[in-house]
Amino acid sequence: MNLFSDIRTLVLAELDSMMQAGDLPGGLELAAVAVEPPRDASHGDMATNAAMVLAKPAGMAPRAIAEKLAARLKTDPRIASVEVAGPGFLNLSLVPAIWADLLAATLQEGADCGRGAIGAGVKVNIEFVSANPTGPMHVGHVRGAVFGDALARLLDFAGYDVTREYYINDGGAQVDVLARSAYERYREAIGLEPEIREGLYPGDYLIPVGEAMKAKWGESLLDQPEEVWLEDVRNFATEMMMQMIREDLAALNVQMDVYSSEKALYGTGQIEAAINTLRDMGLIYEGTLEPPKGKLPDDWEAREQTLFRSTAHGDDVDRPVMKSDGAWTYFAPDIAYHYNKVQRGFDQLIDIFGADHGGYVKRMKAAVSALSGGKVPLDIKLIQLVKLWKNGEPFKMSKRAGTFVTLRDVVEQVGADVTRFVMLTRKNDAPLDFDFAKVLEQSKDNPVFYVQYANARINSVMRKAIAAGVAVDDASLAAADLTQLNNAAEINLAKKIAEWPRLVEIAARGNEPHRVAFYLYELASDLHGLWNRAKDEPELRFVQDDPATTQVKIALARATGVVISAGLAILGVTPVEEMR
RNA sequence: GCACCCAUAGCUCAGCUGGAUAGAGCGUUGCCCUCCGAAGGCAAAGGUCGCACGUUCGAAUCGUGCUGGGUGCGCCA
């Protein structure tokens, strides 16, 4: 039950009637009319800016519109009173019974509570992680993985048709390096001394790859020139790395729908087709780029290249798609890959990049804009760095010192749930501190604990109620006389619950899953506040002597728990039943 | 040199796509509790929202120009 959209619908209907009746000029654009929670609770339960937004286009004084709208809104049974305030705000107070309806609806909706329809089945593709298949995932990948997955869950919840996709960078030079590194481990498996030369990947994780190669090929690859084995070993090692990455993601509770291969774009004409499509639009030409000012590379020399006229679609300079030796740049398969996504019929694309890839945003958007005829929007979310700490001390990563932190290390130390929640306690474009010790602290300072503790308390009182013989299944709770909830602290919590569906919409519209984490913290805070007050005011306690009253109180607690669970599900975090 | 991101309380950060008196946690100060409805509670102090213009009924939010920090800038992905 989305109270805010319900009341907004009412406001829009009344505005329509006013246009019909001649109280407002016809044909007014109503999109900017908002119904929101007021900042100050003394202003009522909801506020609308309708009169102020429409004053100018209607050519009327805002207060004149407000007075007429107020008179109409007052006749709705849900509305207790309407006040015109300030420059023309309408402050609405709702009848107390509305909160009982809201809580009953929340209990009936259960896990679907807050599920929205603003996505309208729009097909959206979210590409994230896309770590090179040359090793295990490290801590730097974690935040992007969590963010992408939570965003996918959020958009799904808001009614989008979501595809989670991983782009495997298996077409470049780094997978050749992987193959050569694996080959040395293969020699090692056979009993020879490996030569891990400079530039190869030294990690131990390739030892099992070498052993698997021995099992597959025996000694047949020994002393063979690279041309003989490179491709097979590359494929073999890449597949093993991807298997490892899939397991890493699974440990983080991330599941991809589609894995797309860069390599598969080569030799299939897809890159050529994408570039030719651009060429047909007159967006590909041979030319020479100016050297970047202020930072001239040592070996700069002007060369003619094949360029994409990305400046025609908002970029700052045109970008090369082919190197001077005739090979494609990395950008060319990226273009083809995004073209592929457009051709697969997605209505919207979202890419999640590390903040250090911010320089590619404009060119990628330019390519998608050109190839989709401007029809498919591409939103690129940049993920800032995670700073690691341990007990307040910076935790320096170093491959040499062996303090290189993998995704597995993090998950094994603090768990997937804590990792995921903490990763979402900042906006994606703000740096994030991650302290291995503090995230496990059981105190109010720790948002993960604080939210989980609220849920545990709810479960605790429900167990108590059950022990007292009170029926606390959702159907019984929803059927109770919830109008008995009338204490300001209780209504306050109900109001917070009422904001949940609206928050889902806002978060989904902005592709901002962190808002869910902040909301849950506030919701938990309201529950804890009520709990603390109940120490001094026993009538606020959830478990009462009278079973019927207990049921009413528990309904409020349970409705809060329903929303916490729904929110945590979006974050991909499992609610805890009990603190240990 | 250019582009992108960021700048909000002493610290770490929210701020609902322009709304009313800008919020939270930590820290500080004061009071209360130490009762497993537990892993503290209540309250206070603390702000020219980096700076300056502009847009309008109204700006932390939008525009322009500065200041300061981060990231990146052909033949690496």
Side-chain angles (χ1 to χ4, degrees):
Chain A
M1 179 174 181
N2 189 339
L3 265 183
F4 290 92
S5 68
D6 289 353
I7 298 298
R8 180 168 186 267
T9 302
L10 169 69
V11 169
L12 295 186
E14 294 298 348
L15 289 170
D16 260 334
S17 300
M18 286 170 69
M19 287 193 257
Q20 298 282 327
D23 290 338
L24 278 174
L28 288 176
E29 173 62 46
L30 301 180
V33 172
V35 173
E36 341 177 275
R39 186 172 302 176
D40 191 331
S42 69
H43 291 148
D45 301 319
M46 290 184 185
T48 178
N49 60 356
M52 281 179 295
V53 174
L54 297 177
K56 195 167 192 180
M60 297 170 63
R63 291 194 72 98
I65 300 174
E67 301 286 356
K68 286 187 174 166
L69 180 57
R72 288 171 170 273
L73 291 173
K74 272 177 197 162
T75 65
D76 190 274
R78 290 166 291 185
I79 292 183
S81 66
V82 185
E83 279 179 16
V84 182
F89 277 104
L90 278 184
N91 291 329
L92 314 179
S93 293
L94 304 178
V95 296
I98 204 86
W99 310 116
D101 292 348
L102 171 86
L103 294 174
T106 303
L107 292 166
Q108 281 156 5
E109 289 157 1
D112 286 331
C113 145
R115 190 173 279 281
I118 59 163
V122 162
K123 286 184 62 165
V124 54
N125 180 290
I126 307 179
E127 182 212 324
F128 61 112
V129 186
S130 298
N132 286 340
T134 55
M137 291 181 61
H138 58 82
V139 66
H141 296 121
V142 174
R143 192 177 179 188
V146 170
F147 178 88
D149 186 64
L151 177 58
R153 290 169 191 255
L154 171 64
L155 293 186
D156 176 81
F157 199 70
Y160 290 83
D161 178 1
V162 179
T163 297
R164 294 160 218 227
E165 189 150 332
Y166 185 118
Y167 179 58
I168 308 169
N169 289 106
D170 53 3
Q174 79 277 4
V175 281
D176 289 341
V177 175
L178 171 72
R180 295 187 189 107
S181 308
Y183 186 78
E184 292 305 320
R185 294 300 187 180
Y186 162 71
R187 295 182 65 245
E188 184 179 28
I190 286 170
L192 299 169
E193 191 66 25
E195 294 171 29
I196 315 287
R197 300 182 303 276
E198 185 72 23
L200 294 186
Y201 300 124
D204 294 347
Y205 59 86
L206 289 176
I207 293 173
V209 178
E211 284 163 1
M213 286 169 64
K214 179 187 168 193
K216 181 175 169 68
W217 283 295
E219 300 192 2
S220 66
L221 302 184
L222 273 185
D223 302 319
Q224 296 287 334
E226 188 175 289
E227 307 87 80
V228 173
W229 51 261
L230 186 68
E231 187 178 343
D232 287 343
V233 171
R234 189 208 292 135
N235 292 341
F236 184 79
T238 303
E239 183 42 51
M240 279 191 76
M241 291 300 103
M242 284 312 298
Q243 184 55 37
M244 187 167 64
I245 286 171
R246 276 191 281 267
E247 285 165 13
D248 283 349
L249 288 171
L252 241 197
N253 202 9
V254 174
Q255 193 84 39
M256 293 287 173
D257 299 310
V258 176
Y259 285 85
S260 280
S261 160
E262 176 193 0
K263 190 182 62 188
L265 298 169
Y266 289 97
T268 55
Q270 291 191 65
I271 298 176
E272 292 76 6
I275 300 302
N276 282 335
T277 303
L278 292 173
R279 195 185 307 274
D280 292 344
M281 296 172 178
L283 295 174
I284 299 289
Y285 68 102
E286 303 298 318
T288 308
L289 287 175
E290 293 288 311
K293 292 201 167 52
K295 186 208 171 220
L296 190 65
D298 304 336
D299 56 347
W300 174 270
E301 53 181 290
R303 284 202 184 142
E304 194 174 77
Q305 295 173 292
T306 304
L307 300 171
F308 165 45
R309 199 182 301 281
S310 55
T311 49
H313 287 267
D315 202 355
D316 308 302
V317 289
D318 294 336
R319 306 291 177 176
V321 294
M322 196 177 271
K323 304 176 195 172
S324 46
D325 67 0
W328 297 115
T329 63
Y330 63 88
F331 186 39
D334 278 351
I335 291 173
Y337 173 50
H338 282 76
Y339 190 34
N340 171 275
K341 287 194 271 192
V342 170
Q343 287 176 318
R344 277 188 279 151
F346 291 105
D347 303 303
Q348 286 181 30
L349 302 182
I350 299 174
D351 286 353
I352 291 158
F353 290 174
D356 55 341
H357 285 63
Y360 305 104
V361 169
K362 283 191 178 182
R363 76 189 64 173
M364 217 58 254
K365 285 188 175 181
V368 171
S369 168
L371 288 168
S372 73
K375 289 200 175 70
V376 178
L378 167 65
D379 188 13
I380 298 181
K381 306 298 272 189
L382 298 178
I383 308 297
Q384 264 294 352
L385 292 176
V386 176
K387 273 187 228 160
L388 295 180
W389 303 77
K390 198 151 195 172
N391 287 314
E393 294 290 319
F395 191 82
K396 282 281 177 202
M397 274 212 305
S398 160
K399 276 186 186 174
R400 274 193 199 155
T403 55
F404 182 73
V405 181
T406 64
L407 176 147
R408 286 301 184 94
D409 294 338
V410 178
V411 171
E412 280 165 17
Q413 275 198 46
V414 307
D417 284 335
V418 167
T419 304
R420 292 185 61 116
F421 196 105
V422 173
M423 288 294 164
L424 293 164
T425 54
R426 287 286 176 272
K427 295 187 287 213
N428 57 288
D429 52 11
L432 179 131
D433 290 331
F434 189 95
D435 190 311
F436 285 103
K438 287 189 177 174
V439 296
L440 292 176
E441 256 173 36
Q442 301 210 337
S443 76
K444 190 181 176 179
D445 324 350
N446 182 354
V448 192
F449 169 79
Y450 197 61
V451 171
Q452 292 283 28
Y453 187 28
N455 195 62
R457 277 180 156 172
I458 291 164
N459 281 286
S460 163
V461 287
M462 288 184 71
R463 284 193 299 269
K464 270 195 175 180
I466 291 168
V470 180
V472 295
D473 59 285
D474 289 342
S476 301
L477 294 178
D481 178 17
L482 302 181
T483 57
Q484 288 179 42
L485 289 168
N486 49 23
N487 187 287
E490 292 168 339
I491 298 302
N492 191 46
L493 184 54
K495 287 182 183 177
K496 198 72 194 175
I497 290 171
E499 289 179 26
W500 168 239
R502 184 168 179 275
L503 182 109
V504 171
E505 286 184 7
I506 291 165
R509 259 202 303 271
N511 295 330
E512 294 172 330
H514 75 275
R515 288 182 190 275
V516 174
F518 281 95
Y519 170 84
L520 289 179
Y521 183 84
E522 291 168 13
L523 181 65
S525 179
D526 286 347
L527 182 97
H528 290 309
L530 182 57
W531 186 283
N532 291 327
R533 284 189 56 175
K535 288 181 194 170
D536 296 331
E537 302 171 53
E539 69 275 15
L540 289 178
R541 295 190 170 203
F542 291 111
V543 177
Q544 300 283 333
D545 293 337
D546 170 38
T549 309
T550 299
Q551 223 176 21
V552 168
K553 306 280 190 188
I554 292 285
L556 175 62
R558 169 63 183 158
T560 308
V562 162
V563 173
I564 290 176
S565 295
L568 287 177
I570 289 174
L571 306 185
V573 175
T574 311
V576 300
E577 306 281 306
E578 203 172 352
M579 303 311 293
R580 283 285 171 197

